[in-house]
Amino acid sequence: MRKALALPLVLALLVPVAASAGASDGSRLAAPVVSPQGVGAIQLGATVKSLHRRHLIGRLRPGCELDPGQRVAPLRPPLRGFAIFSHPNNRVSAVTVTKGAATARGIGIGSTPKAARQAYPKAEYDPPGTADPFPQGFLWVNSVQHPKMTFVVDPGTHKIIELSVPAPNFCE
């Protein structure tokens, strides 16, 4: 008689554990959202220490030699790209994503400039080849002077290859 009662009790205890494990797996599979505040849990202004503690970035290394003190760190999966940290406070000043994220309006790597312009009609667009000296094209959400997000367009495929918040990091 005790064995008959034990099996349903064990099953009743395991069902909530399995359901919660499935929920956390499902939330991990959702792509991080790119917004003017950052990319997913990587927010502008976050410290190196807080991002390392949450295992969101890799090892810090020197950034652009034209910006002494700048540091960059690769993003951890599901993202691909890097976080840029400004000197002297080592806080995130920009994030660049080349895989694993999309905006809330569905624009991600591989999207067309046309789709991005429809999603962000007030954005300024510089088609590939028009933003000298860069061969890439750029879609500046908000404006070129004060971008909140920037989409980089490949000159060969005419697809978005990079999402940057607020703007791409250019270094000679």
Side-chain angles (χ1 to χ4, degrees), residues 145-161:
Q145 294 80 17
H146 304 287
K148 292 184 178 183
M149 294 187 295
T150 307
F151 305 110
V152 179
V153 180
D154 181 70
T157 65
H158 291 277
K159 302 272 184 170
I160 293 173
I161 57 169

Side-chain angles (χ1 to χ4, degrees), residues 44 61-74 81-87 91-98 134 136-138 140 147 149-152 162-172:
L44 296 179
R61 60 183 181 181
C64 181
E65 62 275 359
L66 299 176
D67 185 1
Q70 181 189 76
R71 300 287 179 259
V72 297
F82 52 92
I84 302 164
F85 297 87
S86 61
H87 181 71
R91 291 185 178 270
V92 176
S93 59
V95 182
T96 296
V97 177
T98 57
F134 304 103
Q136 300 91 346
F138 301 94
W140 310 92
M149 294 187 295
T150 307
F151 305 110
V152 179
E162 183 179 298
L163 306 171
S164 296
V165 177
N169 187 34
F170 299 113
C171 188
E172 300 282 328

Side-chain angles (χ1 to χ4, degrees), residues 44-66:
L44 296 179
T47 63
V48 172
K49 188 175 184 178
S50 73
L51 297 176
H52 270 295
R53 186 178 16 197
R54 293 180 287 154
H55 306 287
L56 297 172
I57 59 171
R59 185 173 294 246
L60 208 60
R61 60 183 181 181
C64 181
E65 62 275 359
L66 299 176

Side-chain angles (χ1 to χ4, degrees), residues 2-156:
R2 287 186 180 161
K3 288 181 184 178
L5 291 175
L7 184 58
L9 179 61
V10 169
L11 289 175
L13 292 173
L14 288 178
V15 169
V17 172
S20 68
S24 69
D25 288 346
S27 63
R28 263 189 276 149
L29 295 176
V33 175
V34 178
S35 74
Q37 291 76 37
V39 180
I42 303 169
Q43 300 293 298
L44 296 179
T47 63
V48 172
K49 188 175 184 178
S50 73
L51 297 176
H52 270 295
R53 186 178 16 197
R54 293 180 287 154
H55 306 287
L56 297 172
I57 59 171
R59 185 173 294 246
L60 208 60
R61 60 183 181 181
C64 181
E65 62 275 359
L66 299 176
D67 185 1
Q70 181 189 76
R71 300 287 179 259
V72 297
L75 304 178
R76 296 261 171 110
L79 297 172
R80 187 178 298 159
F82 52 92
I84 302 164
F85 297 87
S86 61
H87 181 71
N89 59 10
N90 276 342
R91 291 185 178 270
V92 176
S93 59
V95 182
T96 296
V97 177
T98 57
K99 184 178 179 185
T103 68
R105 297 181 187 180
I107 304 302
I109 305 303
S111 295
T112 63
K114 181 179 179 180
R117 292 178 74 190
Q118 287 173 343
Y120 299 93
K122 294 183 180 179
E124 293 182 24
Y125 182 53
D126 294 323
T130 62
D132 200 36
F134 304 103
Q136 300 91 346
F138 301 94
L139 184 69
W140 310 92
V141 176
N142 199 27
S143 70
V144 171
Q145 294 80 17
H146 304 287
K148 292 184 178 183
M149 294 187 295
T150 307
F151 305 110
V152 179
V153 180
D154 181 70

